[in-house]
Amino acid sequence: MTAAVEQMQPPGTEADRLREENRVLREQIAAAQSGAARSLSRATRLAQVVSVLGQVADADETADRIAGEVAEMFGADIVAVWLSGQAGLVVAAHCGVPAEDLPADAGTLPAGVLDLPATAPLLAGPAGEVPLPPWLAAYCLEQVVWARLEASGDLLGYMLVARQEPVAFDSSDVLELRAVTARIALAIDRSRLHRRTQDQVRQLRRLQEFTARLAGMLDRTEIARSLAGVIAAETGCGCVSVHLTELPDAGPVATAGTCSHGSGAPAPDRVRALPLRAGGRQMGRLVVHDAPPADSEGDALLRHLADLGGLVLDKAMLFETVRKQAHRDALTGLANRSLFSERLNASLAAAEATGAGLAVIFIDLDGFKQVNDTLGHEVGDLLLTHVAWQLQDAGGPQDTVARLGGDEFVVLTTEATTPSEAAALARRLEAAVREPLALACGELTAAASIGLATVDDCGYQAEALMRHADRAMYDRKRESRAAARG
């Protein structure tokens, strides 16, 4: 019908003009239909890509899938995605560039790209006008688009889309790329969030297991080693050392991790010291090299572990104090009957296995009741403490001196292995008891009755040794009283 109308028109300028308008209109309609079809196809493809990406939990895998899809959607020869991380910008995905062609400095981008503002996240134009990294010059790129990948106000990285043919990215391409990059950034952000959440869940489980294991520890050195190891493994720190307040000059009791400065001195700004506290008391400190930045997740975890370490060390020190109190005489600090019994049984088992000698020496102060009655219990306590110190000085470094109660003491020796050596030790102990105690009113001298028992007398039986030594001590006391009356 249009052709018939055209044939009916008279020849001349007006007819030519109408035909030209019809031709332009038809071209515009065809272009609009083609653009609409292309946009619909891209939108459909993007929806499919987003659907697939929604099931991908890894940001690098997300970026890798994106590179290939964007290349097909926009007829690009090269697509590359840079993502930011702890090591700075790195090429997380690329299409059209062999992996072996990526240089070591591939993460370095031109300043003009890094300066892309959030309000204008795309930069498009011919190569030369739009900056490119030098290593891409060999690919003879003609048209380039840089896109800033941003989600929730955080810069995630950049994407490059480039063609080797001089076919410019038109306004519709740029608009669609802007929409695509927004969806891509959301997908990458979701992937990172998923990975971070999974990592945090795994870390939380490890920390729960560590906390339960740490809570069962009572040895301070074991606690320090476990604490240093977990901090080095979980916080990204370098070298971690644990120092205890009770051992200020002994150096660290535990060390873990590796310092980035090697054997040289670390930079002062890379070293932090965190106190190990509990209940207002400081049990020690953590010294951390290459510590995570302040207010970061690693820093929060580091401080949490320091608090946990302080609580567990406090519990271990409390347990050690209680254990010492349970095994020590409150007045003299010597081993009590319970600790002496434990050491006697352990020493007998070891001696019996090797056939070694062992002796038990009982010591009972003579006339101690009279000291309490005439000079008072405070002086009596001073005398007991003085005798305890003297007995410890007279015994060997491996001997155990214990107070059984009242004015009774006992010595376990594994150094005096023969009866004659044990008798010589007994004489030294008796002489040590007679060392005078200086008081404001003069000197006070004690005397003691001593009984000796060896494995040669009783065998490797704890009860028999104790009974024999006790009987020998009382026999000696009766002899001394009889001699005094005679």
Side-chain angles (χ1 to χ4, degrees):
M1 180 177 179
T2 303
V5 170
E6 290 178 354
Q7 291 176 358
M8 293 173 62
Q9 295 295 331
T13 304
E14 184 65 21
D16 292 341
R17 185 183 63 79
L18 289 174
R19 281 195 297 272
E20 181 62 21
E21 288 179 355
N22 286 336
R23 183 186 64 76
V24 171
L25 181 60
R26 286 195 298 272
E27 288 179 354
Q28 290 177 342
I29 292 173
Q33 290 174 338
S34 175
R38 184 181 61 180
S39 297
L40 179 60
S41 174
R42 286 178 178 173
T44 303
R45 185 68 174 270
L46 178 60
Q48 294 172 347
V49 172
V50 169
S51 176
V52 172
L53 293 180
Q55 304 170 18
V56 178
D58 185 88
D60 291 340
E61 185 180 350
T62 299
D64 197 50
R65 293 199 179 194
I66 285 168
E69 296 292 343
V70 169
E72 289 192 26
M73 290 169 65
F74 292 92
D77 297 293
I78 290 179
V79 175
V81 179
W82 284 260
L83 295 181
S84 59
Q86 292 184 345
L89 286 171
V90 296
V91 179
H94 50 89
C95 176
V97 180
E100 58 270 17
D101 289 352
L102 292 176
D105 62 345
T108 303
L109 295 182
V113 176
L114 298 176
D115 294 339
L116 274 175
T119 54
L122 263 70
L123 179 63
E129 294 181 14
V130 176
L132 283 172
W135 59 273
L136 283 173
Y139 290 88
C140 302
L141 299 175
E142 294 285 344
Q143 294 292 327
V144 181
V145 176
W146 284 101
R148 174 186 170 102
L149 300 176
E150 185 175 19
S152 304
D154 295 328
L155 176 63
L156 305 180
Y158 299 88
M159 183 172 69
L160 166 71
V161 183
R163 293 170 179 164
Q164 292 174 325
E165 296 181 0
V167 179
F169 291 94
D170 58 27
S171 57
S172 63
D173 287 333
V174 172
L175 287 174
E176 289 173 11
L177 266 170
R178 189 165 184 169
V180 167
T181 53
R183 301 299 295 269
I184 288 171
L186 287 174
I188 292 173
D189 187 53
R190 186 203 64 83
S191 300
R192 285 187 166 182
L193 176 61
H194 179 81
R195 172 183 279 184
R196 190 160 58 246
T197 302
Q198 292 297 102
D199 289 344
Q200 288 175 343
V201 169
R202 284 191 291 270
Q203 185 182 68
L204 180 60
R205 288 174 180 166
R206 290 195 300 270
L207 291 175
Q208 286 175 335
E209 293 172 359
F210 169 70
T211 301
R213 188 170 70 254
L214 196 67
M217 296 179 186
L218 295 173
D219 182 82
R220 287 182 296 170
T221 301
E222 184 183 6
I223 291 170
R225 287 173 181 165
S226 297
L227 187 64
V230 166
I231 289 175
E234 298 292 340
T235 64
C237 296
C239 182
V240 180
S241 57
V242 181
H243 303 251
L244 295 181
T245 302
E246 291 188 356
L247 305 170
D249 300 323
V253 294
T255 303
T258 304
C259 298
S260 62
H261 55 80
S263 58
D269 60 343
R270 301 301 303 275
V271 180
R272 288 178 58 192
L274 291 86
L276 297 170
R277 291 197 189 102
R281 295 192 307 127
Q282 183 165 334
M283 272 66 63
R285 70 185 189 280
L286 285 172
V287 178
V288 181
H289 295 180
D290 303 323
D295 301 324
S296 65
E297 291 182 5
D299 177 65
L301 179 59
L302 177 61
R303 287 185 279 108
H304 168 74
L305 288 171
D307 292 341
L308 176 62
L311 291 172
V312 178
L313 281 171
D314 183 56
K315 183 201 68 171
M317 293 174 69
L318 177 62
F319 174 81
E320 188 171 330
T321 300
V322 171
R323 185 179 63 82
K324 286 181 178 179
Q325 291 175 347
H327 288 84
R328 293 288 171 180
D329 176 60
L331 175 64
T332 65
L334 295 178
N336 61 12
R337 185 184 295 271
S338 174
L339 179 57
F340 182 84
S341 179
E342 286 182 14
R343 291 186 177 177
L344 175 59
N345 288 324
S347 297
L348 282 170
E352 185 175 15
T354 61
L358 181 149
V360 171
I361 303 172
F362 263 52
I363 304 157
D364 185 81
L365 300 187
D366 296 332
F368 181 71
K369 183 177 183 302
Q370 185 179 0
V371 173
N372 276 340
D373 292 343
T374 57
L375 300 178
H377 288 277
E378 289 186 4
V379 174
D381 288 347
L382 286 174
L383 181 59
L384 289 173
T385 303
H386 171 72
V387 169
W389 292 345
Q390 293 301 119
L391 291 174
Q392 283 187 306
D393 288 343
Q398 301 302 318
D399 294 342
T400 298
V401 182
R403 182 187 177 206
L404 298 182
D407 59 351
E408 291 184 337
F409 298 85
V410 63
V411 176
L412 165 66
T413 177
T414 56
E415 296 185 5
T417 58
T418 65
S420 61
E421 290 174 343
L425 174 59
R427 289 192 293 271
R428 291 200 304 273
L429 294 172
E430 186 175 12
V433 171
R434 293 183 181 276
E435 286 291 324
L437 169 65
L439 298 172
C441 57
E443 291 184 342
L444 178 62
T445 302
S449 298
I450 294 181
L452 170 65
T454 69
V455 292
D456 291 354
D457 303 320
C458 312
Y460 296 96
Q461 299 296 321
E463 186 178 351
L465 276 167
M466 295 289 285
R467 187 170 58 250
H468 188 91
D470 189 44
R471 187 184 303 117
M473 181 267 294
Y474 276 107
D475 289 344
R476 180 71 179 277
K477 189 178 287 288
R478 280 194 298 270
E479 292 172 1
S480 297
R481 289 171 180 170
R485 288 194 299 268

